[in-house]
Amino acid sequence: MKPYYEDDAVTIYHGDCREIMPTLEPVDLVLTDPPYGIGADKMTLGNGRHKTDRGDSEWDNAPADITPILALSIPAVIWGGNYFDLPPSRCWFVWDKGTGDNDFADCELAWTNRDGVVKKYFRSWVGANARDAADPRRYHPTQKPVALMEWCLGFFPDAN
């Protein structure tokens, strides 16, 4: 399978992990934001138009099957962990989105099998603030900031 992006330090594949992971050599960490089953495929990017990253309009009708990830028995971070049936964990990652007084969620939760305590990251991500400075375009209705993913990776220094 051809990588979506690759350099000396990072390889990114774009697709269904259940199809991609069996083609890879052993991995050190799974950091994922799978479909939660909340109908995000019906959301817009703030411009009234629907956009999906898979070319269909039903990619978020049901939560993704994450059992293949858990079966790997390797470090994992699963965003939207509160939407899945996962083993107990004392270490959750909390993203405080600083949304203020509105109907948007104040935080998002990531389950992790990391041995540690709950950690919180703050980054305003609502309305005009829901963009990265380096690339202000929105590519996906459930897009996460690159800095949030870098923060997650910082908890796994041995992952290559």
Side-chain angles (χ1 to χ4, degrees), residues 13-36:
Y13 293 89
H14 181 192
D16 187 326
C17 74
R18 295 167 296 182
E19 297 169 7
I20 295 171
M21 294 206 49
T23 70
L24 303 177
E25 295 191 25
V27 297
D28 299 317
L29 168 70
V30 174
L31 171 56
T32 185
D33 185 23
Y36 307 166

Side-chain angles (χ1 to χ4, degrees), residues 6-158:
E6 188 171 29
D7 67 20
D8 291 340
V10 175
T11 304
I12 298 174
Y13 293 89
H14 181 192
D16 187 326
C17 74
R18 295 167 296 182
E19 297 169 7
I20 295 171
M21 294 206 49
T23 70
L24 303 177
E25 295 191 25
V27 297
D28 299 317
L29 168 70
V30 174
L31 171 56
T32 185
D33 185 23
Y36 307 166
I38 61 171
D41 51 311
K42 310 299 185 273
M43 296 176 187
T44 66
L45 298 175
N47 57 15
R49 295 186 311 240
H50 293 278
K51 180 178 188 319
T52 65
D53 66 336
R54 293 181 45 186
D56 61 47
S57 62
E58 298 180 356
W59 58 266
D60 196 32
N61 281 356
D65 176 12
I66 56 167
T67 54
I69 296 169
L70 299 175
L72 295 172
S73 298
I74 63 171
V77 177
I78 302 174
W79 281 98
N82 48 311
Y83 292 98
F84 301 102
D85 185 19
L86 291 161
S89 174
R90 64 187 195 101
C91 182
W92 285 75
F93 293 162
V94 179
W95 171 27
D96 179 348
K97 301 192 300 185
T99 57
D101 187 21
N102 56 42
D103 290 336
F104 295 108
D106 292 338
C107 298
E108 290 197 30
L109 302 175
W111 174 91
T112 177
N113 55 5
R114 178 179 177 268
D115 185 25
V117 297
V118 172
K119 293 295 181 182
K120 184 176 91 169
Y121 176 84
F122 176 83
R123 167 80 186 265
S124 179
W125 195 257
V126 64
N129 292 328
R131 288 164 170 57
D132 275 313
D135 184 354
R137 294 172 289 183
R138 287 298 300 265
Y139 295 99
H140 195 273
T142 63
Q143 182 170 321
K144 304 288 187 283
V146 171
L148 173 66
M149 296 296 119
E150 292 172 338
W151 176 79
C152 292
L153 292 172
F155 291 101
F156 300 92
D158 295 332

